[in-house]
Amino acid sequence: MTEKIGGRLIKFGDNVNTDVIIPGRYLVSIDPQELAKHAFEPMGTEVQKRLWSSQVVVGGKNFGCGSAREQAASCLIGCGIKAVVAKSFSRVFFRNCINTGLPAVECSEAAEAALDGGELWIDLEQGMVEVQGESFSFASYPESLKQILEAGGLIPYLAKYVLPQQEALKRHTPELSRR
Amino acid sequence: MGKAFAEKVLARAAGLSDVRPGEIVDVYPDLYMSHMASWRCIRTLEKMGTDKLYDPERIAMVMDHISPARIAKTADDQRLCREFAVRKGINKFYDVEAGIAHVVLMEAGHIRPGMVVIGTDSHSTIYGALGALGTGVGFSEITAAWVTGKLWMKVPESIKVIIEGPLARGTSSKDVMLKLIGDLTADGATYCSVEFHGSYVERLSISDRMTLCNLAMELGAKNAFVRPDEITRSYLGERGVPPGQYTEIHPDPDPVYVKSVTIDGRSLVPQIACPHTVDNVKPIDQVAGTKVNQVFVGSCANAKYEDLVEAARILKGRKIAPGVRLLVSPASKEIVARTVKDGTYSILLEAGALITNPGCSACAGDGGVMADGEVTLSTANRNFQGRMGSYNAEIYLGSPAVAAATAVRGVITDPREFL
Ligand code: SF4
């Protein structure tokens, strides 16, 4: 992961919730392309058009709060979004991004500095965000999460690295809470 | 320094002697819950090219969110789950008649103190009501757990919420939580384990503990917790789970909490979360009089037996206001049976309620949706734009008592007027 990722950004405010990112009525699908058509639909078609031509989503505090729906991350991938940068993320949304292979970067200063329609570039390896001619650093991912992102998400990661050693793994289960 | 609940239970489930907040550990959950999303897990499993399951006994599936199916695609998805459960010997499978997954699994005795439970639903925090660590994850993670038995988790820091009681007249666990969410805001507990303590919580019913832990999600919590006690043991005992079948985990006497918050329930007034965020909370006198088109008593937060009884207490011998729709969706089949038996069901019907089958119902936008410009007062846990039909409709959240009083008057009403 040495290349920079990024491009044009679309900026949102605080507490953008999953029902706005992808309304519950569309969860019958898990196809990112199909879901992309309805991403941010409650905000109207103007916002959607700008979303579809952007590569980075920038959010404020608590981005992606609400439901555990994984489609909130995958619909953005369907839109062509390469990364999400926010002041902070809701817990499940952050997990869903990593697990679907979409880099989610927590960087308050960068989210603050970003201007709607401007450009933003991320160097995941260095833990740097460039926006508005400035560079900001962020805490880089722990190794285990990096591997998942590099593989393109949790499922491809498991298929590649974990399943082949499945049998060996079984032996390490800790003692259960008595069921 | 002692350990908080989350550190102790995650250390146990990770097979480690000691874990610290911030650490990322591989945890082996005791139960993996999936609801309607189960079909996505099955499809993901197929994509992975394996069908070896780590432990079918840890898989629980409940066909909620959309029940029964309304379109052929959903019927097909549900059939996939049904057939998969039979083929794989998944005993904890509950079909469309059962109700909301969280409530169904607790009633069935599958959730026990000291467990780590992951679910394809953010309100999995509710399992803290029985002293378990419950947390929401995406469907890929459930599939991963089906196969590998494990999941990466960050050990959370803990927040102590002290609730002093008894609660003021006309208020309930819902008002406590709305007040807390209003004060701390929607990200007030992000990534944190929220422990409930204080005189109100001791000897509190499991139903109210469920409301507390469920709504902790709206603070961004990773999980929530109420210390297991006699009430917990007798709830489980009634469901055929004697204390020998679980190991309680309690926080140490002196853990490090990142934050400690006290709520004085003795001076609480009914609270309302206004559109379109759950932390947009106001005391009821600031919104009383707002006209509503629909009242919804439902969801895993507030459609339990005790909630329906509370609503019926106000609705008894009264009629709902003309032109208002009162939708009641009991959380589970067991709750329907109890309300039929003790007459609560008829009180609601006679007042003018439309009582649906048990399930998520309008909370998931599955029936009971609104037209443009309409307003619903709901006992659910979310009021996000577009969650119940039109993007141009509004949802206010309140307690079952507020819902009942509002249904009678047709405008948001302080339930204390009826008590
Ligand atoms: S009742 Fe509502 S909040 Fe609870 S699980 Fe169903 S959709 Fe989610």
Side-chain angles (χ1 to χ4, degrees):
Chain A
M1 275 200 288
T2 44
E3 286 162 44
K4 286 184 189 170
I5 51 171
R8 198 145 85 105
L9 72 91
I10 178 165
K11 185 168 176 173
F12 297 98
D14 291 342
N15 297 313
V16 172
N17 69 61
T18 50
D19 284 63
V20 167
I21 300 175
I22 184 75
R25 67 199 69 170
Y26 301 116
L27 301 183
V28 287
S29 174
I30 46 173
D31 172 20
Q33 309 304 325
E34 180 58 34
L35 290 162
K37 293 182 204 155
H38 305 288
F40 283 91
E41 194 175 274
M43 289 203 170
T45 44
E46 279 312 306
V47 170
Q48 286 192 293
K49 275 189 203 143
R50 288 198 292 118
L51 173 71
W52 296 329
S53 60
S54 300
Q55 287 77 46
V56 181
V57 165
V58 176
K61 276 196 319 167
N62 203 22
F63 189 85
C65 61
S67 109
R69 61 190 66 160
E70 197 167 307
Q71 291 96 324
S74 57
C75 74
L76 297 180
I77 296 175
C79 292
I81 296 298
K82 303 282 176 253
V84 189
V85 179
K87 289 185 185 164
S88 64
F89 291 100
S90 96
R91 191 193 68 85
V92 196
F93 180 80
F94 179 80
R95 293 187 74 89
N96 283 333
C97 284
I98 303 298
N99 289 331
T100 50
L102 177 66
V105 170
E106 201 166 90
C107 184
S108 219
E109 297 88 347
E112 187 71 53
L115 292 180
D116 198 17
E119 280 201 7
L120 185 150
W121 292 91
I122 302 166
D123 186 329
L124 286 174
E125 200 50 50
Q126 303 295 322
M128 293 297 277
V129 180
E130 282 169 31
V131 64
Q132 293 302 117
E134 284 190 85
S135 294
F136 304 97
S137 63
F138 62 91
S140 67
Y141 298 115
E143 214 40 55
S144 52
L145 268 58
K146 265 190 197 160
Q147 286 174 2
I148 295 174
L149 269 180
E150 266 168 35
L154 180 63
I155 298 301
Y157 168 77
L158 291 175
K160 198 162 157 195
Y161 299 108
V162 180
L163 289 187
Q165 322 153 14
Q166 184 67 21
E167 284 311 308
L169 204 118
K170 280 229 165 158
R171 303 271 69 89
H172 295 294
T173 316
E175 196 194 326
L176 287 177
S177 168
R178 277 171 280 152
R179 285 178 299 147
Chain B
M1 270 303 164
K3 298 268 179 204
F5 165 73
E7 293 153 52
K8 291 174 85 169
V9 72
L10 289 178
R12 197 273 305 155
L16 300 168
S17 57
D18 185 42
V19 302
R20 280 155 209 282
E23 215 179 302
I24 291 183
V25 290
D26 273 339
V27 170
Y28 288 79
D30 304 285
L31 196 73
Y32 335 125
M33 181 282 276
S34 54
H35 50 47
M36 184 185 74
S38 301
W39 68 271
R40 299 179 199 131
C41 304
I42 298 168
R43 293 287 183 225
T44 307
L45 190 72
E46 288 167 356
K47 234 196 279 170
M48 282 170 77
T50 176
D51 71 343
K52 260 212 216 124
L53 300 178
Y54 179 78
D55 181 1
E57 278 306 312
R58 298 190 203 196
I59 299 179
M61 282 186 191
V62 187
M63 300 292 104
D64 74 4
H65 273 65
I66 300 177
S67 59
R70 306 202 176 222
I71 55 170
K73 161 82 168 69
T74 311
D76 207 45
D77 294 340
Q78 291 176 345
R79 176 173 59 189
L80 181 74
C81 301
R82 225 168 265 135
E83 291 176 355
F84 180 82
V86 171
R87 198 167 68 240
K88 292 294 180 185
I90 293 165
N91 299 318
K92 299 181 181 78
F93 177 85
Y94 296 87
D95 219 316
V96 289
E97 87 293 349
I100 305 170
H102 301 310
V103 178
V104 169
L105 295 185
M106 292 174 89
E107 285 175 346
H110 296 320
I111 310 295
R112 301 169 187 191
M115 277 183 140
V116 171
V117 183
I118 55 172
T120 53
D121 189 276
S122 58
H123 292 104
S124 300
T125 54
I126 192 173
Y127 304 128
L130 292 175
L133 185 147
T135 194
V137 298
F139 63 80
S140 290
E141 296 186 280
I142 292 286
T143 317
W146 282 4
V147 176
T148 66
K150 65 174 181 172
L151 182 78
W152 64 269
M153 270 197 206
K154 188 160 144 190
V155 180
E157 311 211 88
S158 296
I159 292 181
K160 183 178 193 177
V161 174
I162 304 160
I163 310 169
E164 297 302 354
L167 299 190
R169 198 174 63 97
T171 62
S172 67
S173 47
K174 179 60 155 289
D175 300 292
V176 170
M177 286 313 290
L178 290 181
K179 175 84 175 90
L180 189 67
I181 296 162
D183 288 355
L184 296 184
T185 77
D187 64 349
T190 299
Y191 291 108
C192 289
S193 168
V194 173
E195 293 187 8
F196 292 102
H197 295 265
S199 57
Y200 170 67
V201 181
E202 287 159 24
R203 289 183 296 282
L204 189 64
S205 71
I206 297 297
S207 171
D208 281 319
R209 292 180 191 191
M210 285 161 83
T211 304
L212 297 181
C213 294
N214 182 294
L215 281 150
M217 176 58 213
E218 302 311 315
L219 292 163
K222 180 192 191 90
N223 70 287
F225 173 77
V226 174
R227 184 192 286 273
D229 58 10
E230 258 326 301
I231 305 277
T232 321
R233 282 163 227 142
S234 78
Y235 178 93
L236 288 165
E238 284 164 22
R239 283 160 174 81
V241 186
Q245 290 192 11
Y246 51 87
T247 309
E248 292 177 14
I249 294 180
H250 294 246
D252 290 336
D254 56 346
V256 181
Y257 292 108
V258 281
K259 200 172 347 181
S260 180
V261 194
T262 303
I263 288 233
D264 188 353
R266 295 164 299 196
S267 57
L268 194 65
V269 299
Q271 307 283 314
I272 303 287
C274 302
H276 295 293
T277 59
V278 188
D279 59 1
N280 185 14
V281 176
K282 297 185 177 144
I284 193 156
D285 58 334
Q286 290 185 22
V287 280
T290 306
K291 196 180 159 346
V292 304
N293 307 90
Q294 177 171 269
V295 172
F296 174 56
V297 177
S299 92
C300 50
N302 275 124
K304 294 165 271 96
Y305 172 75
E306 290 79 353
D307 300 321
L308 303 194
V309 169
E310 180 61 27
R313 201 153 69 99
I314 289 174
L315 289 165
K316 187 168 185 175
R318 296 194 169 94
K319 294 271 181 224
I320 62 170
V324 170
R325 323 187 279 276
L326 170 60
L327 205 69
V328 179
S329 302
S332 74
K333 181 165 77 172
E334 181 184 312
I335 294 167
V336 175
R338 283 178 77 187
T339 55
V340 166
K341 207 165 164 196
D342 73 0
T344 302
Y345 199 93
S346 343
I347 295 172
L348 298 171
L349 269 185
E350 279 158 24
L354 159 59
I355 310 182
T356 74
N357 58 310
C360 297
S361 182
C363 181
D366 181 33
V369 301
M370 288 184 282
D372 266 3
E374 288 199 321
V375 174
T376 289
L377 183 289
S378 161
T379 66
N381 41 29
R382 287 207 175 121
N383 57 356
F384 298 158
Q385 188 182 9
R387 192 165 167 95
M388 288 170 68
S390 167
Y391 296 140
N392 301 313
E394 294 186 327
I395 307 171
Y396 289 82
L397 305 178
S399 71
V402 169
T406 300
V408 171
R409 293 272 159 82
V411 295
I412 294 180
T413 301
D414 190 328
R416 291 174 295 185
E417 292 176 27
F418 290 89
L419 298 175

